[in-house]
Amino acid sequence: MAFLDRVLALPGRVRDFAGALDREGAIARALNLAQSRDLNVDLLAALKIAEVLADVLGLDRAAALNEARDLAKRLVGELASALDTSYPLHRQHALNRAATTARDLAQALNRAEGGAGGDYTPDPTDLDLARDLASALVYYHRLLSALASYPPVPGRDRDLARDPARDPDIVRCRDLAQYLAQLLDGQMGAEGSPPLPGRVRLAVWLLPGQWQARYCEEFRAELALLPRSEWRPYGKQVLKRAWRLRKELAGRECPPDDARAEG
Amino acid sequence: MTLPVLLVLRAMLDEPAREMYGLEICKAADLPSGTIHPILARLEGWGWLESRWEDKPAGGKPRKRYYRFSPGGAERARAALEKARIPVPSPKLVTKPQLIPRTTGGA
């Protein structure tokens, strides 16, 4: 869970719950509205990672990763379904399916890494990301199963389903998907620009929305100056520091010219 | 102030009037590429640096982002380096050095 530990601080909370599932205190905390909201935020974070992951995997054409790519895309759908608040019990079933899919995905990626990928060499960081996501979802599954075995508490499902930050996040997910689709179609970015590696795209996406276009173009320009062999360490460093950059930019207004950068 | 921030300031003070892009600053500060953007964002946030896009790069390449000291930024950077007891580089000469006239005859 290294990536999520560092970037999203997700597994800390998940492990708090998962490590203490047999204790009354953990369940009481999970039933608390604030904790439930945290879970929802974490779920959204997992959904975002799944979307990027699906795209990263979708970029390659290796037969061995086809299954993993399909599973990742299915995972996106299942997580989106888990966010549907129309039916209180719907979320748990969707999460159940997502956890199974995540396990299958981790297995498929393990097989791909074992050399079945033909001429494609899987990026170890992307695979780590996938496994982190799969592990996190398995924890969610265990947590929600434990919650389900407890006597029903009025309003609990509504609390789990309600999150004021949900709509803007979903809008961002939609925007991201549109952006990625455009990127894949080669309709975005200046002619002659290199495509952004997955880790750099993920780093850009972790930044506040109004700053994404500026840093997308800035990173792209720097990549164009680097030899291809240095892209991977560059992407690694950029992603590692994305959270810090996000903190520096938080609360600052992006100049209109930068917000309209060519990306 | 962290050491990487001080290294960036020192590298930029080498030629305080010059505009530099991120990779250039990384190399000058001897930092790995891709590590510098949070530092530059912080210095911009403090108002010590300002940045702008490159004007129309050739061949449809993406535009670089150039950074330079804002008015007063270099002085603040020098003060920060002095406070941290890091040697402040003397700015490279931009004007032609003046010759000192020799006195004829000697002592």
Short mmCIF file of all heavy atoms in Angstrom, two decimals, chain B residues 20-55:
data_model
loop_
_atom_site.label_atom_id
_atom_site.label_comp_id
_atom_site.label_asym_id
_atom_site.label_seq_id
_atom_site.Cartn_x
_atom_site.Cartn_y
_atom_site.Cartn_z
N MET B 20 15.15 31.25 -16.19
CA MET B 20 15.53 29.83 -16.31
C MET B 20 14.28 28.97 -16.25
O MET B 20 13.32 29.32 -15.56
CB MET B 20 16.46 29.42 -15.15
CG MET B 20 17.77 30.16 -15.10
SD MET B 20 18.63 29.84 -13.55
CE MET B 20 19.56 28.38 -13.97
N TYR B 21 14.29 27.84 -16.95
CA TYR B 21 13.16 26.92 -16.84
C TYR B 21 13.50 25.81 -15.83
O TYR B 21 14.65 25.67 -15.41
CB TYR B 21 12.75 26.36 -18.20
CG TYR B 21 13.84 25.69 -18.99
CD1 TYR B 21 14.09 24.34 -18.84
CD2 TYR B 21 14.60 26.41 -19.90
CE1 TYR B 21 15.09 23.71 -19.57
CE2 TYR B 21 15.61 25.80 -20.62
CZ TYR B 21 15.85 24.45 -20.46
OH TYR B 21 16.83 23.83 -21.17
N GLY B 22 12.51 25.05 -15.46
CA GLY B 22 12.64 24.11 -14.35
C GLY B 22 13.83 23.17 -14.45
O GLY B 22 14.59 23.02 -13.50
N LEU B 23 13.98 22.54 -15.62
CA LEU B 23 15.08 21.58 -15.76
C LEU B 23 16.44 22.24 -15.61
O LEU B 23 17.36 21.69 -15.03
CB LEU B 23 15.03 20.92 -17.14
CG LEU B 23 14.16 19.68 -17.30
CD1 LEU B 23 14.31 19.13 -18.70
CD2 LEU B 23 14.51 18.61 -16.28
N GLU B 24 16.53 23.46 -16.14
CA GLU B 24 17.78 24.22 -16.05
C GLU B 24 18.11 24.50 -14.58
O GLU B 24 19.26 24.33 -14.15
CB GLU B 24 17.56 25.57 -16.75
CG GLU B 24 18.45 25.84 -17.91
CD GLU B 24 18.15 27.21 -18.50
OE1 GLU B 24 17.03 27.73 -18.36
OE2 GLU B 24 19.08 27.77 -19.10
N ILE B 25 17.09 24.89 -13.83
CA ILE B 25 17.31 25.19 -12.41
C ILE B 25 17.72 23.93 -11.67
O ILE B 25 18.60 23.94 -10.82
CB ILE B 25 16.05 25.83 -11.79
CG1 ILE B 25 15.66 27.09 -12.54
CG2 ILE B 25 16.27 26.15 -10.32
CD1 ILE B 25 14.31 27.68 -12.15
N CYS B 26 17.07 22.81 -12.03
CA CYS B 26 17.42 21.53 -11.41
C CYS B 26 18.89 21.22 -11.59
O CYS B 26 19.58 20.86 -10.64
CB CYS B 26 16.63 20.40 -12.07
SG CYS B 26 15.10 20.02 -11.26
N LYS B 27 19.35 21.37 -12.83
CA LYS B 27 20.75 21.07 -13.12
C LYS B 27 21.67 22.02 -12.37
O LYS B 27 22.66 21.61 -11.77
CB LYS B 27 21.01 21.15 -14.63
CG LYS B 27 20.56 19.88 -15.34
CD LYS B 27 20.76 19.98 -16.83
CE LYS B 27 20.04 18.82 -17.51
NZ LYS B 27 19.69 19.09 -18.89
N ALA B 28 21.32 23.31 -12.40
CA ALA B 28 22.17 24.30 -11.73
C ALA B 28 22.21 24.05 -10.23
O ALA B 28 23.23 24.29 -9.59
CB ALA B 28 21.64 25.71 -12.03
N ALA B 29 21.10 23.59 -9.67
CA ALA B 29 21.05 23.36 -8.21
C ALA B 29 21.50 21.96 -7.84
O ALA B 29 21.51 21.61 -6.67
CB ALA B 29 19.62 23.60 -7.72
N ASP B 30 21.82 21.18 -8.86
CA ASP B 30 22.24 19.79 -8.64
C ASP B 30 21.15 18.97 -7.94
O ASP B 30 21.42 18.20 -7.02
CB ASP B 30 23.55 19.76 -7.83
CG ASP B 30 24.33 18.47 -8.10
OD1 ASP B 30 24.06 17.83 -9.11
OD2 ASP B 30 25.19 18.12 -7.26
N LEU B 31 19.94 19.17 -8.39
CA LEU B 31 18.81 18.39 -7.86
C LEU B 31 18.31 17.47 -8.97
O LEU B 31 18.42 17.80 -10.15
CB LEU B 31 17.67 19.32 -7.42
CG LEU B 31 17.97 20.21 -6.20
CD1 LEU B 31 16.89 21.27 -6.05
CD2 LEU B 31 18.04 19.38 -4.94
N PRO B 32 17.73 16.31 -8.62
CA PRO B 32 17.22 15.42 -9.67
C PRO B 32 16.07 16.08 -10.44
O PRO B 32 15.30 16.85 -9.85
CB PRO B 32 16.71 14.19 -8.89
CG PRO B 32 17.22 14.33 -7.51
CD PRO B 32 17.54 15.77 -7.28
N SER B 33 15.97 15.76 -11.73
CA SER B 33 14.90 16.36 -12.54
C SER B 33 13.55 15.88 -12.01
O SER B 33 13.41 14.75 -11.55
CB SER B 33 15.06 15.98 -14.00
OG SER B 33 14.99 14.58 -14.15
N GLY B 34 12.60 16.77 -12.06
CA GLY B 34 11.25 16.42 -11.60
C GLY B 34 11.00 16.71 -10.13
O GLY B 34 9.93 16.44 -9.62
N THR B 35 12.02 17.28 -9.45
CA THR B 35 11.86 17.48 -8.00
C THR B 35 11.59 18.93 -7.64
O THR B 35 11.34 19.24 -6.49
CB THR B 35 13.15 17.07 -7.25
OG1 THR B 35 14.22 17.86 -7.73
CG2 THR B 35 13.46 15.60 -7.46
N ILE B 36 11.62 19.79 -8.63
CA ILE B 36 11.75 21.20 -8.30
C ILE B 36 10.43 21.98 -8.26
O ILE B 36 10.36 23.08 -7.71
CB ILE B 36 12.73 21.85 -9.32
CG1 ILE B 36 13.39 23.05 -8.69
CG2 ILE B 36 12.05 22.16 -10.63
CD1 ILE B 36 14.59 23.51 -9.44
N HIS B 37 9.39 21.41 -8.84
CA HIS B 37 8.17 22.20 -9.01
C HIS B 37 7.52 22.65 -7.70
O HIS B 37 7.06 23.79 -7.63
CB HIS B 37 7.18 21.44 -9.90
CG HIS B 37 7.79 21.13 -11.23
ND1 HIS B 37 8.39 19.91 -11.50
CD2 HIS B 37 7.97 21.88 -12.34
CE1 HIS B 37 8.88 19.93 -12.72
NE2 HIS B 37 8.65 21.11 -13.26
N PRO B 38 7.50 21.80 -6.65
CA PRO B 38 6.94 22.32 -5.40
C PRO B 38 7.75 23.49 -4.84
O PRO B 38 7.18 24.42 -4.28
CB PRO B 38 7.00 21.12 -4.45
CG PRO B 38 7.09 19.92 -5.33
CD PRO B 38 7.82 20.38 -6.55
N ILE B 39 9.07 23.44 -5.05
CA ILE B 39 9.92 24.53 -4.54
C ILE B 39 9.63 25.82 -5.30
O ILE B 39 9.46 26.89 -4.72
CB ILE B 39 11.42 24.15 -4.69
CG1 ILE B 39 11.72 22.90 -3.84
CG2 ILE B 39 12.33 25.30 -4.33
CD1 ILE B 39 13.09 22.30 -4.09
N LEU B 40 9.55 25.70 -6.62
CA LEU B 40 9.27 26.89 -7.43
C LEU B 40 7.89 27.45 -7.11
O LEU B 40 7.70 28.67 -7.05
CB LEU B 40 9.39 26.55 -8.92
CG LEU B 40 10.80 26.15 -9.38
CD1 LEU B 40 10.77 25.69 -10.83
CD2 LEU B 40 11.78 27.30 -9.22
N ALA B 41 6.93 26.54 -6.89
CA ALA B 41 5.57 26.99 -6.55
C ALA B 41 5.59 27.73 -5.21
O ALA B 41 4.92 28.76 -5.05
CB ALA B 41 4.63 25.80 -6.49
N ARG B 42 6.37 27.23 -4.28
CA ARG B 42 6.44 27.90 -2.97
C ARG B 42 7.05 29.29 -3.11
O ARG B 42 6.54 30.27 -2.59
CB ARG B 42 7.29 27.06 -2.01
CG ARG B 42 7.46 27.73 -0.67
CD ARG B 42 8.31 26.91 0.27
NE ARG B 42 7.67 25.64 0.57
CZ ARG B 42 8.17 24.75 1.42
NH1 ARG B 42 9.29 25.01 2.05
NH2 ARG B 42 7.55 23.62 1.66
N LEU B 43 8.15 29.37 -3.86
CA LEU B 43 8.83 30.67 -4.01
C LEU B 43 7.95 31.65 -4.78
O LEU B 43 7.96 32.85 -4.50
CB LEU B 43 10.18 30.47 -4.72
CG LEU B 43 11.22 29.69 -3.89
CD1 LEU B 43 12.44 29.34 -4.74
CD2 LEU B 43 11.65 30.49 -2.67
N GLU B 44 7.17 31.13 -5.73
CA GLU B 44 6.23 32.00 -6.43
C GLU B 44 5.14 32.47 -5.47
O GLU B 44 4.73 33.63 -5.50
CB GLU B 44 5.58 31.23 -7.58
CG GLU B 44 6.21 31.50 -8.93
CD GLU B 44 5.31 31.07 -10.08
OE1 GLU B 44 5.07 29.86 -10.20
OE2 GLU B 44 4.86 31.95 -10.84
N GLY B 45 4.69 31.55 -4.64
CA GLY B 45 3.66 31.89 -3.66
C GLY B 45 4.13 32.95 -2.68
O GLY B 45 3.35 33.81 -2.26
N TRP B 46 5.40 32.91 -2.33
CA TRP B 46 5.97 33.93 -1.43
C TRP B 46 6.18 35.26 -2.16
O TRP B 46 6.48 36.27 -1.53
CB TRP B 46 7.32 33.47 -0.89
CG TRP B 46 7.25 32.37 0.09
CD1 TRP B 46 6.14 31.87 0.70
CD2 TRP B 46 8.36 31.61 0.60
NE1 TRP B 46 6.48 30.85 1.54
CE2 TRP B 46 7.84 30.67 1.51
CE3 TRP B 46 9.72 31.63 0.39
CZ2 TRP B 46 8.65 29.75 2.19
CZ3 TRP B 46 10.53 30.73 1.06
CH2 TRP B 46 9.99 29.80 1.96
N GLY B 47 6.12 35.23 -3.47
CA GLY B 47 6.37 36.45 -4.24
C GLY B 47 7.83 36.69 -4.53
O GLY B 47 8.21 37.78 -4.95
N TRP B 48 8.68 35.68 -4.31
CA TRP B 48 10.11 35.86 -4.57
C TRP B 48 10.42 35.64 -6.05
O TRP B 48 11.37 36.16 -6.57
CB TRP B 48 10.95 34.87 -3.74
CG TRP B 48 10.90 35.11 -2.28
CD1 TRP B 48 9.93 35.77 -1.57
CD2 TRP B 48 11.87 34.69 -1.30
NE1 TRP B 48 10.22 35.76 -0.24
CE2 TRP B 48 11.40 35.11 -0.03
CE3 TRP B 48 13.07 33.98 -1.38
CZ2 TRP B 48 12.09 34.85 1.14
CZ3 TRP B 48 13.77 33.73 -0.20
CH2 TRP B 48 13.29 34.16 1.05
N LEU B 49 9.64 34.78 -6.69
CA LEU B 49 9.85 34.47 -8.11
C LEU B 49 8.61 34.85 -8.90
O LEU B 49 7.50 34.92 -8.35
CB LEU B 49 10.10 32.98 -8.33
CG LEU B 49 11.34 32.32 -7.74
CD1 LEU B 49 11.40 30.86 -8.19
CD2 LEU B 49 12.60 33.04 -8.16
N GLU B 50 8.80 35.07 -10.17
CA GLU B 50 7.66 35.20 -11.07
C GLU B 50 7.97 34.34 -12.30
O GLU B 50 9.13 34.00 -12.56
CB GLU B 50 7.41 36.66 -11.44
CG GLU B 50 8.61 37.39 -11.98
CD GLU B 50 8.39 38.89 -12.07
OE1 GLU B 50 7.52 39.42 -11.36
OE2 GLU B 50 9.12 39.51 -12.86
N SER B 51 6.93 33.97 -13.02
CA SER B 51 7.16 33.08 -14.15
C SER B 51 6.29 33.48 -15.33
O SER B 51 5.31 34.21 -15.17
CB SER B 51 6.84 31.63 -13.74
OG SER B 51 5.48 31.51 -13.41
N ARG B 52 6.70 33.00 -16.48
CA ARG B 52 5.93 33.29 -17.70
C ARG B 52 6.17 32.17 -18.70
O ARG B 52 7.15 31.41 -18.58
CB ARG B 52 6.34 34.64 -18.30
CG ARG B 52 7.77 34.63 -18.85
CD ARG B 52 8.06 35.80 -19.75
NE ARG B 52 9.42 35.67 -20.32
CZ ARG B 52 9.68 35.08 -21.48
NH1 ARG B 52 8.70 34.59 -22.21
NH2 ARG B 52 10.93 34.98 -21.93
N TRP B 53 5.29 32.06 -19.68
CA TRP B 53 5.47 31.07 -20.72
C TRP B 53 6.46 31.55 -21.76
O TRP B 53 6.54 32.76 -22.01
CB TRP B 53 4.15 30.77 -21.44
CG TRP B 53 3.15 30.01 -20.63
CD1 TRP B 53 1.92 30.47 -20.22
CD2 TRP B 53 3.25 28.67 -20.14
NE1 TRP B 53 1.28 29.49 -19.49
CE2 TRP B 53 2.07 28.38 -19.43
CE3 TRP B 53 4.24 27.69 -20.23
CZ2 TRP B 53 1.84 27.16 -18.82
CZ3 TRP B 53 4.01 26.47 -19.62
CH2 TRP B 53 2.83 26.21 -18.93
N GLU B 54 7.15 30.62 -22.36
CA GLU B 54 8.04 30.94 -23.47
C GLU B 54 7.20 31.48 -24.63
O GLU B 54 6.08 31.03 -24.85
CB GLU B 54 8.74 29.63 -23.88
CG GLU B 54 9.69 29.74 -25.01
CD GLU B 54 10.24 28.37 -25.43
OE1 GLU B 54 9.59 27.34 -25.13
OE2 GLU B 54 11.28 28.34 -26.07
N ASP B 55 7.79 32.43 -25.35
CA ASP B 55 7.07 32.97 -26.52
C ASP B 55 7.22 31.99 -27.68
O ASP B 55 8.34 31.64 -28.03
CB ASP B 55 7.66 34.31 -26.96
CG ASP B 55 7.62 35.32 -25.84
OD1 ASP B 55 6.65 35.32 -25.09
OD2 ASP B 55 8.61 36.09 -25.71
#
